[in-house]
Amino acid sequence: MLNMDFSIPVRQSVDELEWLPSPMQGVERKPLAREDAERGHATSIVRYAPGSIFRAHPHPLGEEILVLQGVFCDETGHYPAGTYFRNPPGSSHAPFSPDGCVLFVKLHQFAPLDSKQVLVAAEVFNGLPCNQPHLLHQYQTEQVYLLRVNANSDFSVLFDEVNEAFELLVVEGRVSYQEKDLSALSWLRTPSIDLNHLKAKESSMLWLKFGHF
């Protein structure tokens, strides 16, 4: 088990982690949180080498992906960097990447009745205006956003007051929380969030989740 006590805040710089092999040659992972080696709750950065494939597999409790670099593919299409999608519980696919890619992946974390298939094209990511949170998905208390900010952005006015489960991936740029820096490809998970202590240090692109682990 890795970082499975959700009552403890976690900050992690992906650059400080080593790539670990997966069961499929050419596919490597940097685990951020993991219930078991190859099953259950998992949050990871995943890298596909050029030409690598992953055998067809199901997602009994869903899969959530943000493409960070390159182009990720499966039998439904090709998805460039900036694409966000959710494959609901019971879905399956056979991924591959002809030229290689890097992904932010969350497995086995869907609410039991959250069955919506979600696909948000990379054009949304690339054209997102500053300081306008884009809602990617909402189900019950869970809300997932993309947000582009600048160094003057005030998070406390961009979202309603919250004090709940919070998760953040710094896709680009640099922010800080409680005066601790979070550079590009840093991950934060905390059981409660005070947005007054979240500060943008430069122009940044963020993936945020409220209300669900």
Side-chain angles (χ1 to χ4, degrees):
M1 295 179 66
L2 172 68
N3 292 329
M4 289 300 294
D5 185 344
F6 299 118
S7 68
I8 299 175
V10 180
R11 293 181 180 88
Q12 184 66 67
S13 171
V14 173
D15 288 341
E16 297 174 354
L17 302 175
E18 294 183 2
W19 290 107
L20 303 178
S22 80
M24 301 302 291
Q25 185 175 1
V27 181
E28 299 175 302
R29 299 171 294 196
K30 291 187 176 185
L32 300 171
R34 185 169 63 187
E35 184 176 1
D36 203 346
E38 298 301 334
R39 62 183 179 183
H41 180 117
T43 299
S44 308
I45 302 296
V46 178
R47 180 172 68 181
Y48 281 65
S52 56
I53 62 173
F54 208 101
R55 64 177 176 267
H57 58 277
H59 295 291
L61 291 177
E63 174 187 53
E64 180 178 10
I65 292 178
L66 177 63
V67 183
L68 301 175
Q69 299 173 19
V71 180
F72 176 71
C73 310
D74 64 16
E75 60 271 36
T76 66
H78 292 212
Y79 304 103
T83 306
Y84 171 83
F85 55 94
R86 297 172 65 94
N87 294 321
S91 62
S92 64
H93 65 163
F96 61 98
S97 183
D99 299 316
C101 65
V102 177
L103 316 171
F104 177 59
V105 180
K106 297 177 68 64
L107 299 174
H108 289 234
Q109 297 173 43
F110 281 38
L113 298 180
D114 184 0
S115 60
K116 185 178 180 181
Q117 178 82 43
V118 176
L119 172 61
V120 180
E123 287 77 11
V124 172
F125 180 101
N126 295 328
L128 196 63
C130 196
N131 296 328
Q132 294 186 27
H134 182 85
L135 183 65
L136 298 169
H137 180 68
Q138 180 171 6
Y139 182 79
Q140 296 179 344
T141 62
E142 180 179 5
Q143 298 178 54
V144 188
Y145 294 91
L146 279 177
L147 174 64
R148 188 182 301 278
V149 293
N150 56 38
N152 299 315
S153 298
D154 184 345
F155 290 89
S156 65
V157 303
L158 298 177
F159 299 97
D160 294 335
E161 183 176 353
V162 293
N163 185 20
E164 58 186 14
F166 177 76
E167 190 174 351
L168 166 71
L169 179 74
V170 182
V171 181
E172 300 169 358
R174 184 168 63 96
V175 302
S176 69
Y177 183 61
Q178 295 177 336
E179 299 184 353
K180 294 184 178 180
D181 270 8
L182 296 162
S183 57
L185 291 189
S186 291
W187 179 69
L188 169 70
R189 192 191 69 202
T190 180
S192 62
I193 181 70
D194 183 346
L195 292 175
N196 292 298
H197 292 289
L198 183 63
K199 307 292 184 183
K201 297 297 186 178
E202 58 188 59
S203 178
S204 302
M205 175 65 83
L206 311 173
W207 172 95
L208 311 95
K209 179 176 289 193
F210 295 92
H212 180 76
F213 288 151

